[in-house]
Amino acid sequence: MNKTDWIEYFEAIHSRIPNEAEIAQALAAGEFSDDEIAEAAEIVEETVSKEGNESGKTVTSVESSDDESITSATENKTADFKSKEKEVIEKLKDNQVISDGIQVASNYFSWVLETVKHPMSKASGFNSLYTYLTLGIIILFASLSSTLNLHAFYEKTIVNSSFSEFGSFVGISTKNPIGFGTFIGLLFVAALFILTLFFATWVALKVLKSPLTFSNVADKYTSLFIPATFLIVIASILSLIRLNMLSYIVFILALSIMSIALYYIILTAKNNLKLDDFYAKLLALMACGAIICVMTFILVLIFTTIIFKSAFTM
Protein backbone atom coordinates (compact mmCIF):
# COMPACT_ATOMS: atom_id res chain seq x y z
CA MET A 1 0.00 0.00 0.00
CA ASN A 2 1.05 3.61 -0.47
CA LYS A 3 1.48 6.27 2.21
CA THR A 4 -2.03 7.74 1.83
CA ASP A 5 -3.71 4.34 2.23
CA TRP A 6 -1.57 3.54 5.26
CA ILE A 7 -2.47 6.87 6.95
CA GLU A 8 -6.19 6.21 6.34
CA TYR A 9 -5.79 2.71 7.80
CA PHE A 10 -3.96 4.12 10.84
CA GLU A 11 -6.70 6.73 11.41
CA ALA A 12 -9.39 4.01 11.23
CA ILE A 13 -7.58 1.91 13.84
CA HIS A 14 -6.36 4.60 16.27
CA SER A 15 -8.84 7.46 15.60
CA ARG A 16 -6.03 9.97 15.14
CA ILE A 17 -3.46 11.12 12.59
CA PRO A 18 -0.07 9.37 12.93
CA ASN A 19 2.89 11.55 13.90
CA GLU A 20 6.18 11.79 11.97
CA ALA A 21 7.94 9.18 14.12
CA GLU A 22 5.18 6.62 13.53
CA ILE A 23 5.19 7.29 9.76
CA ALA A 24 8.98 6.93 9.59
CA GLN A 25 8.84 3.72 11.63
CA ALA A 26 6.17 2.24 9.35
CA LEU A 27 8.17 3.21 6.24
CA ALA A 28 11.29 1.56 7.66
CA ALA A 29 9.29 -1.58 8.52
CA GLY A 30 8.00 -1.77 4.93
CA GLU A 31 4.34 -1.31 5.84
CA PHE A 32 3.96 1.10 2.90
CA SER A 33 6.07 2.44 0.03
CA ASP A 34 6.83 6.06 -0.71
CA ASP A 35 5.66 6.41 -4.33
CA GLU A 36 7.49 9.68 -4.96
CA ILE A 37 10.89 8.34 -3.92
CA ALA A 38 10.36 5.02 -5.74
CA GLU A 39 9.29 6.79 -8.94
CA ALA A 40 12.28 9.15 -8.78
CA ALA A 41 14.63 6.20 -8.23
CA GLU A 42 13.17 4.38 -11.26
CA ILE A 43 13.60 7.48 -13.45
CA VAL A 44 17.21 7.85 -12.38
CA GLU A 45 17.88 4.13 -12.92
CA GLU A 46 16.39 4.30 -16.44
CA THR A 47 18.56 7.33 -17.19
CA VAL A 48 21.63 5.52 -15.90
CA SER A 49 20.80 2.45 -17.99
CA LYS A 50 20.17 4.52 -21.12
CA GLU A 51 23.35 6.54 -20.74
CA GLY A 52 25.27 3.36 -19.97
CA ASN A 53 24.04 1.73 -23.20
CA GLU A 54 24.94 4.81 -25.23
CA SER A 55 28.40 4.91 -23.71
CA GLY A 56 28.73 1.16 -24.46
CA LYS A 57 27.91 1.70 -28.13
CA THR A 58 30.38 4.53 -28.36
CA VAL A 59 33.09 2.42 -26.77
CA THR A 60 32.56 -0.55 -29.10
CA SER A 61 32.63 1.71 -32.17
CA VAL A 62 36.10 2.97 -31.26
CA GLU A 63 38.32 -0.07 -31.90
CA SER A 64 41.63 1.61 -31.11
CA SER A 65 40.74 2.80 -27.61
CA ASP A 66 42.55 1.40 -24.60
CA ASP A 67 40.53 -1.09 -22.41
CA GLU A 68 41.66 0.44 -19.11
CA SER A 69 40.62 3.98 -20.09
CA ILE A 70 37.20 2.71 -21.27
CA THR A 71 36.60 0.95 -17.95
CA SER A 72 37.67 4.04 -16.02
CA ALA A 73 35.37 6.33 -18.04
CA THR A 74 32.39 3.98 -17.55
CA GLU A 75 32.98 3.80 -13.80
CA ASN A 76 33.19 7.60 -13.57
CA LYS A 77 29.89 8.00 -15.42
CA THR A 78 28.22 5.38 -13.26
CA ALA A 79 29.49 7.13 -10.12
CA ASP A 80 28.15 10.46 -11.42
CA PHE A 81 24.72 9.02 -12.07
CA LYS A 82 24.64 7.33 -8.67
CA SER A 83 25.52 10.65 -7.10
CA LYS A 84 22.67 12.32 -9.01
CA GLU A 85 20.30 9.54 -7.94
CA LYS A 86 21.24 10.06 -4.30
CA GLU A 87 20.82 13.83 -4.67
CA VAL A 88 17.31 13.44 -6.16
CA ILE A 89 16.23 11.06 -3.39
CA GLU A 90 17.59 13.34 -0.66
CA LYS A 91 15.79 16.31 -2.21
CA LEU A 92 12.52 14.37 -2.27
CA LYS A 93 13.00 13.44 1.38
CA ASP A 94 13.63 17.10 2.28
CA ASN A 95 10.46 18.11 0.40
CA GLN A 96 8.56 15.43 2.31
CA VAL A 97 9.81 16.84 5.63
CA ILE A 98 8.75 20.35 4.58
CA SER A 99 5.29 19.19 3.52
CA ASP A 100 4.89 17.28 6.79
CA GLY A 101 5.86 20.44 8.69
CA ILE A 102 3.26 22.48 6.81
CA GLN A 103 0.64 19.85 7.55
CA VAL A 104 1.51 19.91 11.26
CA ALA A 105 1.23 23.71 11.34
CA SER A 106 -2.13 23.66 9.55
CA ASN A 107 -3.52 21.04 11.92
CA TYR A 108 -2.27 22.92 15.00
CA PHE A 109 -4.96 25.61 14.85
CA SER A 110 -7.82 23.09 14.62
CA TRP A 111 -6.27 21.13 17.51
CA VAL A 112 -6.08 24.34 19.59
CA LEU A 113 -9.77 25.13 19.01
CA GLU A 114 -10.76 21.60 19.97
CA THR A 115 -8.55 21.69 23.07
CA VAL A 116 -10.06 25.00 24.23
CA LYS A 117 -13.45 23.29 24.37
CA HIS A 118 -12.17 20.14 26.11
CA PRO A 119 -8.75 20.72 27.77
CA MET A 120 -8.70 17.41 29.64
CA SER A 121 -9.68 15.14 26.74
CA LYS A 122 -6.72 14.64 24.40
CA ALA A 123 -7.85 16.08 21.08
CA SER A 124 -7.41 14.03 17.93
CA GLY A 125 -4.37 14.70 15.81
CA PHE A 126 -2.11 15.58 18.75
CA ASN A 127 1.53 15.88 17.77
CA SER A 128 4.50 16.13 20.12
CA LEU A 129 5.56 19.27 18.26
CA TYR A 130 2.42 21.01 19.60
CA THR A 131 3.98 20.99 23.07
CA TYR A 132 7.05 22.95 21.94
CA LEU A 133 4.97 25.27 19.75
CA THR A 134 2.53 26.11 22.55
CA LEU A 135 5.28 26.66 25.12
CA GLY A 136 7.20 28.79 22.63
CA ILE A 137 4.15 31.02 22.13
CA ILE A 138 3.67 31.35 25.89
CA ILE A 139 7.34 32.23 26.53
CA LEU A 140 7.54 34.70 23.64
CA PHE A 141 4.35 36.65 24.35
CA ALA A 142 4.72 36.52 28.14
CA SER A 143 8.19 38.06 27.80
CA LEU A 144 6.91 40.68 25.35
CA SER A 145 3.98 41.66 27.57
CA SER A 146 6.16 41.80 30.70
CA THR A 147 8.80 43.92 28.95
CA LEU A 148 6.25 46.45 27.68
CA ASN A 149 4.46 46.66 31.03
CA LEU A 150 7.72 47.05 32.96
CA HIS A 151 8.85 49.76 30.57
CA ALA A 152 5.59 51.69 31.05
CA PHE A 153 5.65 51.22 34.83
CA TYR A 154 9.26 52.38 35.16
CA GLU A 155 8.62 55.33 32.88
CA LYS A 156 5.67 56.46 35.00
CA THR A 157 7.00 55.82 38.51
CA ILE A 158 10.71 56.68 38.13
CA VAL A 159 11.63 58.62 35.01
CA ASN A 160 8.63 60.98 34.96
CA SER A 161 8.44 61.44 38.72
CA SER A 162 10.12 63.71 41.26
CA PHE A 163 12.61 60.94 41.99
CA SER A 164 14.23 61.66 38.63
CA GLU A 165 15.00 65.24 39.69
CA PHE A 166 16.42 63.98 42.97
CA GLY A 167 18.57 61.44 41.11
CA SER A 168 19.95 64.13 38.83
CA PHE A 169 20.71 66.32 41.88
CA VAL A 170 22.80 63.60 43.56
CA GLY A 171 24.45 62.52 40.31
CA ILE A 172 22.47 59.34 39.62
CA SER A 173 21.16 58.69 36.11
CA THR A 174 17.64 57.27 36.23
CA LYS A 175 17.32 56.25 32.60
CA ASN A 176 14.77 53.60 31.70
CA PRO A 177 16.70 50.30 31.58
CA ILE A 178 13.83 48.27 30.17
CA GLY A 179 14.63 47.42 26.56
CA PHE A 180 15.64 44.63 24.22
CA GLY A 181 18.13 43.25 26.73
CA THR A 182 15.32 42.96 29.27
CA PHE A 183 13.22 41.10 26.72
CA ILE A 184 16.01 38.57 26.11
CA GLY A 185 16.47 38.13 29.85
CA LEU A 186 12.74 37.59 30.34
CA LEU A 187 12.76 34.95 27.61
CA PHE A 188 15.34 33.03 29.61
CA VAL A 189 13.44 33.59 32.88
CA ALA A 190 10.09 32.50 31.39
CA ALA A 191 11.59 29.36 29.84
CA LEU A 192 13.30 28.44 33.11
CA PHE A 193 10.10 29.11 35.06
CA ILE A 194 8.06 26.82 32.77
CA LEU A 195 10.73 24.12 33.10
CA THR A 196 10.64 24.55 36.89
CA LEU A 197 6.85 24.19 36.86
CA PHE A 198 7.10 20.94 34.92
CA PHE A 199 9.89 19.59 37.12
CA ALA A 200 8.11 20.51 40.36
CA THR A 201 4.90 18.81 39.19
CA TRP A 202 6.84 15.74 38.12
CA VAL A 203 8.50 15.57 41.56
CA ALA A 204 5.09 15.89 43.23
CA LEU A 205 3.75 13.01 41.13
CA LYS A 206 6.79 10.93 42.04
CA VAL A 207 5.99 11.59 45.71
CA LEU A 208 2.62 9.98 45.00
CA LYS A 209 4.45 7.17 43.13
CA SER A 210 2.63 8.05 39.93
CA PRO A 211 3.86 6.27 36.76
CA LEU A 212 3.59 9.48 34.69
CA THR A 213 6.84 10.50 33.01
CA PHE A 214 8.21 14.01 32.50
CA SER A 215 6.96 14.06 28.90
CA ASN A 216 3.48 13.02 30.11
CA VAL A 217 3.47 16.00 32.47
CA ALA A 218 4.49 18.31 29.61
CA ASP A 219 1.67 16.97 27.40
CA LYS A 220 -0.88 17.49 30.17
CA TYR A 221 0.28 21.06 30.73
CA THR A 222 0.15 21.75 26.99
CA SER A 223 -3.59 21.05 26.88
CA LEU A 224 -4.34 22.87 30.14
CA PHE A 225 -2.23 25.89 29.13
CA ILE A 226 -4.16 26.58 25.92
CA PRO A 227 -6.68 28.96 27.60
CA ALA A 228 -3.81 30.76 29.36
CA THR A 229 -1.98 31.03 26.02
CA PHE A 230 -4.90 32.96 24.51
CA LEU A 231 -4.94 35.33 27.48
CA ILE A 232 -1.18 35.93 27.32
CA VAL A 233 -1.41 36.83 23.62
CA ILE A 234 -4.29 39.23 24.43
CA ALA A 235 -2.22 40.76 27.26
CA SER A 236 0.62 41.41 24.80
CA ILE A 237 -1.74 43.14 22.38
CA LEU A 238 -3.10 45.32 25.20
CA SER A 239 0.46 46.23 26.20
CA LEU A 240 1.25 47.28 22.63
CA ILE A 241 -1.71 49.68 22.56
CA ARG A 242 -0.73 51.12 25.98
CA LEU A 243 -3.63 49.60 27.95
CA ASN A 244 -1.16 48.46 30.59
CA MET A 245 -3.52 48.20 33.56
CA LEU A 246 -5.91 45.96 31.61
CA SER A 247 -2.91 43.99 30.40
CA TYR A 248 -1.83 43.42 34.02
CA ILE A 249 -5.26 42.02 34.87
CA VAL A 250 -5.38 39.67 31.86
CA PHE A 251 -1.81 38.49 32.50
CA ILE A 252 -2.56 37.75 36.17
CA LEU A 253 -5.67 35.82 35.09
CA ALA A 254 -3.48 33.74 32.75
CA LEU A 255 -1.06 33.01 35.61
CA SER A 256 -4.02 31.99 37.76
CA ILE A 257 -5.12 29.48 35.13
CA MET A 258 -1.59 28.06 35.04
CA SER A 259 -1.62 27.71 38.84
CA ILE A 260 -5.00 25.97 38.73
CA ALA A 261 -3.59 23.58 36.12
CA LEU A 262 -0.77 22.67 38.51
CA TYR A 263 -3.17 21.94 41.38
CA TYR A 264 -5.50 20.04 39.08
CA ILE A 265 -2.79 17.69 37.80
CA ILE A 266 -1.56 16.89 41.31
CA LEU A 267 -4.96 16.62 43.00
CA THR A 268 -6.39 14.34 40.30
CA ALA A 269 -3.32 12.07 40.24
CA LYS A 270 -3.62 8.56 41.61
CA ASN A 271 -2.22 8.11 45.12
CA ASN A 272 -0.08 4.98 45.39
CA LEU A 273 1.21 5.73 48.88
CA LYS A 274 0.14 3.85 51.98
CA LEU A 275 -1.14 7.13 53.33
CA ASP A 276 -4.47 8.86 53.48
CA ASP A 277 -5.18 10.59 50.18
CA PHE A 278 -5.54 14.02 51.82
CA TYR A 279 -2.12 13.86 53.50
CA ALA A 280 -0.49 12.32 50.44
CA LYS A 281 -1.74 15.11 48.17
CA LEU A 282 -0.77 17.68 50.80
CA LEU A 283 2.76 16.26 50.90
CA ALA A 284 3.00 16.35 47.12
CA LEU A 285 1.80 19.97 46.98
CA MET A 286 4.30 21.00 49.64
CA ALA A 287 7.18 19.41 47.71
CA CYS A 288 6.03 21.09 44.50
CA GLY A 289 5.55 24.47 46.19
CA ALA A 290 8.98 24.37 47.84
CA ILE A 291 10.73 23.84 44.50
CA ILE A 292 8.74 26.60 42.78
CA CYS A 293 9.27 29.10 45.63
CA VAL A 294 13.04 28.56 45.74
CA MET A 295 13.46 28.83 41.96
CA THR A 296 11.14 31.85 41.71
CA PHE A 297 13.07 33.66 44.45
CA ILE A 298 16.38 32.99 42.66
CA LEU A 299 15.04 34.14 39.28
CA VAL A 300 13.46 37.31 40.70
CA LEU A 301 16.63 38.14 42.65
CA ILE A 302 18.85 37.78 39.58
CA PHE A 303 16.49 39.74 37.36
CA THR A 304 15.93 42.65 39.76
CA THR A 305 19.67 42.90 40.48
CA ILE A 306 20.42 43.25 36.78
CA ILE A 307 17.65 45.86 36.34
CA PHE A 308 18.76 48.01 39.27
CA LYS A 309 22.41 47.89 38.27
CA SER A 310 21.58 49.09 34.77
CA ALA A 311 19.05 51.68 36.02
CA PHE A 312 21.04 53.55 38.63
CA THR A 313 24.39 54.38 37.10
CA MET A 314 26.56 57.05 38.67
Side-chain angles (χ1 to χ4, degrees):
M1 73 176 62
N2 57 28
K3 181 178 178 181
T4 304
D5 294 336
W6 184 85
I7 291 176
E8 292 178 356
Y9 174 75
F10 187 94
E11 290 180 2
I13 297 298
H14 300 282
S15 299
R16 65 180 179 84
I17 299 175
N19 57 37
E20 293 180 7
E22 292 169 335
I23 293 175
Q25 185 178 1
L27 178 61
E31 297 182 14
F32 69 88
S33 61
D34 197 323
D35 295 338
E36 294 182 354
I37 295 178
E39 185 178 346
E42 290 178 2
I43 293 173
V44 174
E45 287 177 0
E46 290 178 1
T47 306
V48 171
S49 176
K50 184 178 178 181
E51 293 293 334
N53 292 335
E54 291 179 358
S55 64
K57 291 178 181 179
T58 304
V59 169
T60 54
S61 64
V62 183
E63 298 178 354
S64 61
S65 60
D66 186 28
D67 292 338
E68 292 182 0
S69 63
I70 293 173
T71 303
S72 177
T74 304
E75 289 177 353
N76 289 336
K77 286 189 176 182
T78 303
D80 290 339
F81 283 116
K82 285 183 177 180
S83 176
K84 290 181 180 179
E85 178 184 7
K86 184 177 179 181
E87 183 179 348
V88 170
I89 293 175
E90 290 296 330
K91 186 177 292 185
L92 286 174
K93 287 182 178 180
D94 292 339
N95 291 337
Q96 185 66 31
V97 171
I98 293 172
S99 63
D100 289 343
I102 295 173
Q103 183 179 2
V104 169
S106 63
N107 292 336
Y108 177 71
F109 185 69
S110 59
W111 173 82
V112 166
L113 293 179
E114 189 176 348
T115 305
V116 169
K117 299 176 183 177
H118 309 285
M120 279 309 299
S121 59
K122 198 170 186 177
S124 60
F126 177 79
N127 191 299
S128 58
L129 291 175
Y130 295 170
T131 300
Y132 302 104
L133 186 56
T134 302
L135 296 180
I137 292 172
I138 290 175
I139 292 170
L140 177 64
F141 283 94
S143 302
L144 177 62
S145 177
S146 300
T147 302
L148 293 173
N149 288 333
L150 282 172
H151 185 277
F153 177 78
Y154 198 94
E155 195 78 20
K156 182 178 180 181
T157 58
I158 303 296
V159 177
N160 296 329
S161 66
S162 58
F163 183 82
S164 178
E165 297 178 1
F166 174 76
S168 301
F169 178 75
V170 297
I172 300 176
S173 174
T174 55
K175 64 178 182 179
N176 196 331
I178 311 299
F180 183 74
T182 307
F183 173 71
I184 298 299
L186 282 172
L187 283 176
F188 172 77
V189 170
L192 195 56
F193 180 77
I194 294 292
L195 184 62
T196 300
L197 204 64
F198 288 2
F199 177 73
T201 306
W202 177 75
V203 169
L205 294 177
K206 287 304 175 184
V207 170
L208 298 173
K209 294 185 178 180
S210 173
L212 291 178
T213 63
F214 190 86
S215 60
N216 295 143
V217 174
D219 290 344
K220 279 181 172 291
Y221 268 121
T222 301
S223 298
L224 295 176
F225 277 3
I226 290 297
T229 305
F230 273 106
L231 292 177
I232 289 174
V233 173
I234 293 173
S236 299
I237 296 173
L238 293 173
S239 300
L240 285 171
I241 60 178
R242 299 281 185 168
L243 295 176
N244 300 103
M245 183 56 66
L246 188 57
S247 176
Y248 295 147
I249 296 172
V250 174
F251 192 82
I252 291 173
L253 182 59
L255 291 179
S256 300
I257 292 176
M258 295 171 70
S259 300
I260 292 172
L262 182 148
Y263 287 109
Y264 185 86
I265 291 175
I266 295 176
L267 293 177
T268 57
K270 185 178 179 181
N271 174 27
N272 295 316
L273 293 176
K274 294 181 179 179
L275 189 65
D276 184 82
D277 191 62
F278 174 77
Y279 293 111
K281 298 294 175 62
L282 183 62
L283 181 63
L285 287 172
M286 289 175 63
C288 178
I291 295 173
I292 293 175
C293 287
V294 170
M295 285 303 301
T296 302
F297 176 77
I298 294 173
L299 291 174
V300 170
L301 183 62
I302 294 173
F303 185 75
T304 52
T305 302
I306 294 173
I307 292 296
F308 274 97
K309 278 188 176 181
S310 59
F312 300 104
T313 57
M314 297 298 292

